[in-house]
Amino acid sequence: MIYLDHSATTPLDSRVLDAMRPYLESDFCNPSSVYRAGQEARRAVEDAREKVAHLIGARPKEIIFTSGGTEANNTAIKGIAGLHRKGHIITSAIEHPAVLKVVKWLEKHGFDATYIGVGQDGVVDPDSVRQAIRKDTTLITIMHANNEVGTIQPIEEIASIAHEHNIIFHTDAVQTAGKLEIDVDKMGIDLLSLSGHKFYAPKGVGCLYIRKGLKIETFMHGGHQEWGKRAGTENVAGIVGLGRAAEIALAEMQEEHERIRKLRDRLEAGIAERISDVIFNGSRDRRLYSICNVCVKYVEGEAMLLNLDFHGIAASSGSACTSGSLEPSHVLLAMGISPEIAHGSLRFSLGRSNTEEDIEKVIEVLPPVVAKLREMSAFPRKSAP
Ligand SMILES: *Cc1c(COP(=O)(O)O)cnc(C)c1O
């Protein structure tokens, strides 16, 4: 399989698995136990906490482990909302459902919300955030990079606007953690979510960064784990994997950035050269180096995916969470793309395992797939193919 869906999930790095293995096999003890083997598990968890903190320029005490990005987002947003009972939240129209649906839920429970739109380039304008601020705004949550088109949001500027008004700033950094340099202090981030399985750790583990001194309402009640902020026996093996993945990502970040960006650029050049009537989505200069999101006119994204799958190529159209439904991507619609064109979107997301051969294969396979589908297409042809 040629795997080009790294924004949906990544394979477990074998080095991460090696680090985890003892905690799945012999070292099974509970980190809260007082005897030596329990304390060994505790040490492993705390060692991982240091590594994850280091990845984002935080202190270990500011990290709480969660079951992933979704839980981290829920903990952050409901945690701030829970301190106030009512108020106003600002987010963007292009967030992941793990933010959008949390805010929508809060709207049903006494909160107001503003969903900031984006320009054609898929970038949030900090000025529109400033204009949306009200006296009762308690939280601004804007993702670091979008998972569908890869646009990188000006979160430093937005964070500083938030702080001018004493508003807390949260960012969903699930797509950027391990890929871009993050420094929570320099960037003025109060709360940050990340997820292990998007950067070669296992599924089911992630973390929330909570700036020192910031209070949030806990919604996972039980034992005293994670300083009472997230009860439940720690996922020791998963947490160790997250720590190791953070360490590897940091060490290889620069090199991988260069290598993957070149592959992605080659993919886009090949598509542009060989397929007519395509639109590349997302700002050209403010976007993640690993994502290519393209709309192929007069063709259904799902049909292209099935044909690519037949050739052993795994990609996605829209996001993994929305594919399966026939709704066009809310991100592309927010960028002003028409529903018909949005239906023809493909997302290739590259990662550690990809090679030049993978990319050449896609460039070879995709044009005849598109030509065949266009021939069969029921779409009205608006211009010559
Ligand atoms: C994948 C993803 C999530 C959800 O993370 P899980 O660990 O799968 O719960 C949240 N936000 C973004 C931007 C994502 O890409």
Side-chain angles (χ1 to χ4, degrees):
M1 173 173 62
I2 295 179
Y3 187 71
L4 291 163
D5 204 14
H6 291 81
S7 287
T9 194
T10 57
L12 189 64
D13 188 298
S14 61
R15 294 167 289 180
V16 172
L17 177 61
D18 286 344
M20 292 171 67
R21 194 169 268 130
Y23 302 95
L24 294 164
E25 291 173 348
S26 49
D27 299 353
F28 64 89
C29 284
N30 190 318
S32 297
S33 299
V34 294
Y35 38 82
R36 208 181 319 150
Q39 288 314 293
E40 157 60 19
R42 166 63 48 208
R43 194 202 50 73
V45 167
E46 297 315 316
D47 179 58
R49 200 186 305 278
E50 256 175 56
K51 288 174 173 151
V52 173
H54 190 53
L55 180 69
I56 59 170
R59 275 88 15 209
K61 278 223 147 161
E62 296 172 316
I63 301 294
I64 65 165
F65 292 114
T66 66
S67 65
T70 301
E71 187 191 321
N73 286 342
N74 272 269
T75 305
I77 299 168
K78 292 176 184 167
I80 295 301
L83 296 176
H84 301 281
R85 289 174 159 233
K86 59 185 172 47
H88 176 238
I89 297 167
I90 297 173
T91 187
S92 84
I94 62 165
E95 298 296 310
H96 189 276
V99 166
L100 280 180
K101 293 205 178 161
V102 181
V103 176
K104 288 236 151 63
W105 182 82
L106 285 169
E107 279 190 285
K108 285 196 286 188
H109 290 84
F111 288 82
D112 285 338
T114 301
Y115 301 85
I116 306 285
V118 291
Q120 266 191 332
D121 61 357
V123 179
V124 174
D125 175 4
D127 274 335
S128 33
V129 175
R130 190 192 295 278
Q131 280 154 22
I133 291 174
R134 307 191 332 197
K135 275 219 157 55
D136 62 343
T137 307
T138 49
L139 176 70
I140 298 176
T141 172
I142 304 282
M143 70 202 316
H144 191 191
N146 180 265
N147 47 299
E148 294 188 32
V149 293
T151 47
I152 299 169
Q153 306 305 330
I155 58 168
E156 295 186 58
E157 275 174 84
I158 296 170
S160 107
I161 291 168
H163 295 154
E164 280 169 34
H165 296 83
N166 279 320
I167 299 166
I168 291 159
F169 179 72
H170 166 254
T171 191
D172 173 344
V174 170
Q175 286 295 331
T176 52
K179 291 198 195 84
L180 297 181
E181 210 175 294
I182 295 177
D183 185 315
V184 287
D185 287 345
K186 268 199 227 142
M187 297 165 93
I189 297 164
D190 300 311
L191 294 154
L192 176 147
S193 307
L194 62 77
S195 174
H197 76 97
K198 303 291 174 83
F199 64 105
Y200 311 95
K203 291 155 191 65
V205 66
C207 87
L208 177 65
Y209 156 80
I210 308 172
R211 173 170 300 287
K212 182 170 186 269
L214 181 66
K215 289 224 156 23
I216 66 163
E217 182 73 38
T218 298
F219 80 99
M220 193 76 103
H221 301 282
H224 50 71
Q225 294 90 352
E226 307 296 286
W227 305 289
K229 289 181 178 140
R230 200 281 191 178
T233 301
E234 297 87 342
N235 171 7
V236 177
I239 288 168
V240 167
L242 184 67
R244 182 70 180 117
E247 186 177 51
I248 294 169
L250 196 58
E252 298 179 353
M253 196 177 285
Q254 204 122 31
E255 217 176 296
E256 281 292 275
H257 187 147
E258 280 306 299
R259 191 184 73 83
I260 293 170
R261 185 183 51 75
K262 278 194 195 130
L263 294 178
R264 194 275 314 267
D265 290 350
R266 168 71 192 125
L267 175 62
E268 291 194 340
I271 291 173
E273 209 173 276
R274 297 196 193 183
I275 305 175
S276 64
D277 292 306
V278 293
I279 302 170
F280 292 98
N281 299 309
S283 160
R284 294 297 87 184
D285 48 347
R286 290 197 65 94
R287 77 189 165 121
L288 215 49
Y289 56 83
S290 52
I291 293 182
C292 160
N293 187 304
V294 61
C295 286
V296 181
K297 288 194 195 171
Y298 324 121
V299 191
E300 284 283 354
E302 300 290 320
M304 286 187 282
L305 287 188
L306 293 174
N307 279 273
L308 287 173
D309 183 35
F310 178 79
H311 291 278
I313 298 168
S316 73
S317 81
S319 67
C321 314
T322 53
S323 60
S325 82
L326 285 172
E327 287 296 298
S329 143
H330 70 286
V331 176
L332 296 179
L333 295 184
M335 289 163 63
I337 293 168
S338 73
E340 303 87 80
I341 292 178
H343 270 303
S345 81
L346 277 182
R347 180 190 68 182
F348 297 103
S349 45
L350 284 65
R352 206 168 272 171
S353 69
N354 293 130
T355 61
E356 280 178 37
E357 292 74 61
D358 293 351
I359 300 307
E360 295 309 323
K361 179 81 195 274
V362 177
I363 296 172
E364 181 194 310
V365 163
L366 186 59
V369 162
V370 170
K372 185 183 86 180
L373 291 170
R374 277 179 175 169
E375 229 161 78
M376 299 165 26
S377 164
F379 280 100
R381 201 66 66 81
K382 290 191 189 87
S383 67

